[in-house]
């Protein structure tokens, strides 16, 4: 019996380009508080958020994701026809079937590429980046587009004081391709299903059909905060060790932009160097779930806070509960 042929791989993969899409409509805390028993000062103190973007009728998970992907491809100098795989991380696409990724691939001009949705909530981008790295290194795909795209405004109750002020909309994307040496470090990931109800829809789609009530998201804020302030530095330290990078030598720390207090707590716990830039896109964008890490990367790049070749620690965490972290070298 003859053995199966395996694809030939490469030594490593790296991020070749970054792109972002931010909806036109900026929503400040005063507008959010029109339907919420709160005020601007409380929201800033609680979360660090000043504004967020809400998508308009024509700004969908598909359209925003495709636009971000096209921008990333342009920066990378890669033709859409050369994309072998499209991975879309999202938790807010409202159709379980068909998935959104094939439509994104079509809109960006990557017809024929494999395309799939990744459902790991706010940790989805880091999960998808790990899969992209493996696909490139194994030879399964030479170029992979990884996208986080969210319309979280569709999922929240505007009168819910625990979630309404937190979330925003947008999309970010990266292109991953082959490299002579690793540009994406080993991924540290995991889950804790005992926390399934801490961040969740209040009921499922079957219940929605029977009762005609929309299943909005609810969150047990204090419990999520305790979990996140433990798991983010823990996963971050493991990812740094796996990549052989010292915390003090890190150029940037880019965690999921869930809450400024979580970001600051994790940064302190990791013992980062004085020069390490900490992403705080939460202030202007709110929590954009799977889109938050690529959006934050693009924001750091656009203001010149990081340089090509810099190392960045990415940590995604959220509903599931799930988490994933890796160190990457920036394009």
């Amino acid at each position: 019996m003859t053995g199966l042929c395996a694809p030939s791989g490469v030594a490593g993969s790296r991020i070749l380009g970054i792109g972002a899409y931010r909806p036109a409509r900026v929503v400040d805390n005063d507008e959010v508080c029109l339907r919420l028993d709160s005020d601007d000062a409380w929201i800033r103190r609680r979360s660090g958020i000043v504004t967020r973007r809400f998508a308009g009728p024509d700004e969908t998970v598909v359209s925003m994701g495709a636009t971000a992907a096209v921008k990333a491809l342009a920066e990378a100098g890669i033709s859409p026809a050369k994309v072998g795989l499209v991975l879309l991380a999202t938790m807010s696409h409202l159709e379980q079937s068909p998935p959104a990724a094939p439509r994104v691939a079509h809109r960006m001009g990557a017809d024929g590429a494999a395309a799939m949705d990744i459902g790991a909530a706010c940790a989805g981008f880091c999960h998808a980046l790990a899969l992209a790295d493996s696909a490139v290194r194994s030879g399964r795909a030479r170029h992979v587009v990884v996208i986080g795209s969210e319309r979280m405004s569709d999922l929240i109750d505007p009168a819910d004081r625990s979630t309404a002020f937190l979330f925003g909309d947008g999309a970010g994307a990266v292109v991953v391709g082959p490299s002579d040496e690793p540009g994406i470090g080993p991924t540290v990931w995991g889950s804790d299903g005992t926390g399934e109800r801490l961040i969740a829809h209040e009921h499922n789609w079957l219940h929605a059909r029977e009762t005609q009530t929309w299943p909005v998201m609810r969150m047990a804020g204090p419990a999520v905060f305790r979990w996140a302030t433990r798991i983010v530095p823990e996963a971050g330290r493991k990812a740094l060790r796996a990549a052989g990078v010292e915390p003090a030598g890190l150029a940037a720390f880019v965690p999921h932009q869930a809450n400024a207090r979580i970001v600051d707590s994790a940064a302190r716990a990791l013992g980062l160097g004085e020069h390490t830039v900490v992403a705080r896109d939460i202030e202007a964008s709110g929590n954009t779930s799977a889109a938050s890490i690529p959006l934050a990367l693009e924001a750091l790049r656009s203001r010149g806070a990081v340089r090509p070749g810099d190392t960045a620690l990415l940590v995604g965490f959220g509903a599931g509960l799930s988490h994933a972290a890796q160190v990457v070298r920036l394009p």
Side-chain angles (χ1 to χ4, degrees):
M1 183 177 180
T2 59
L4 298 176
C5 294
S8 57
V10 296
S13 77
R14 63 188 179 101
I15 297 174
L16 305 174
I18 303 172
Y21 180 88
R22 300 175 191 273
R25 183 184 169 206
V26 178
V27 178
D28 63 19
N29 290 337
D30 289 335
E31 182 175 344
V32 170
C33 291
L34 292 176
R35 301 185 62 182
L36 196 64
D37 180 22
S38 187
D39 58 36
D40 172 69
W42 183 87
I43 292 174
R44 292 187 189 220
R45 186 170 62 252
R46 182 84 172 179
S47 66
I49 298 171
V50 178
T51 62
R52 74 285 291 146
R53 304 289 183 106
F54 279 0
D58 298 328
E59 294 172 313
T60 67
V61 166
V62 171
S63 69
M64 293 189 296
T67 301
V70 168
K71 290 179 179 179
L73 285 166
E75 181 179 282
I78 301 297
S79 164
K82 293 183 178 180
V83 175
L85 175 61
V86 176
L87 299 173
L88 173 65
T90 184
M91 65 176 294
S92 56
H93 177 56
L94 298 182
E95 293 175 283
Q96 199 162 4
S97 179
R103 281 176 277 180
V104 172
H106 172 68
R107 284 206 182 201
M108 55 187 269
D111 289 305
M116 67 190 80
D117 294 1
I118 304 296
C122 300
F125 179 81
C126 288
H127 280 76
L129 189 59
L131 298 178
D133 171 55
S134 295
V136 171
R137 286 191 296 105
S138 70
R140 181 58 59 198
R142 184 166 178 83
H143 295 102
V144 181
V145 175
V146 180
I147 307 160
S149 184
E150 302 283 18
R151 268 185 63 118
M152 298 302 292
S153 56
D154 287 334
L155 305 182
I156 57 175
D157 174 1
D160 181 2
R161 200 165 186 260
S162 68
T163 61
F165 65 93
L166 286 172
F167 293 99
D169 304 335
V174 300
V175 179
V176 177
S179 174
D180 291 337
E181 57 184 29
I184 298 175
T187 298
V188 172
W189 52 10
S191 66
D192 178 6
T194 64
E196 60 174 321
R197 302 311 304 171
L198 295 183
I199 314 170
H201 287 266
E202 61 183 354
H203 52 74
N204 61 32
W205 293 112
L206 179 60
H207 184 274
R209 184 173 71 175
E210 293 172 344
T211 64
Q212 301 298 302
T213 56
W214 185 252
V216 297
M217 277 187 53
R218 305 293 185 191
M219 182 171 66
V224 171
F225 183 86
R226 289 192 296 271
W227 170 75
T229 51
R230 175 183 61 82
I231 202 67
V232 175
E234 180 180 302
R237 281 189 289 267
K238 290 179 179 178
L240 287 166
R241 284 198 298 270
V245 176
E246 292 295 326
L250 197 63
F253 174 44
V254 190
H256 164 49
Q257 302 291 286
N259 183 302
R261 293 189 299 150
I262 294 173
V263 171
D264 292 341
S265 173
R268 288 192 300 270
L270 283 167
L272 304 176
E274 291 183 3
H275 69 283
T276 305
V277 177
V278 179
R280 292 188 173 87
D281 194 46
I282 182 77
E283 178 179 324
S285 301
N287 180 341
T288 54
S289 188
S292 79
I293 288 177
L295 281 172
L297 279 173
E298 189 272 342
L300 289 179
R301 283 263 310 268
S302 66
R303 64 183 177 90
V306 291
R307 298 172 298 177
D310 278 350
T311 53
L313 170 63
L314 316 182
V315 185
F317 57 95
L321 298 164
S322 62
H323 69 272
Q326 61 266 108
V327 177
V328 303
R329 201 166 287 283
L330 300 177

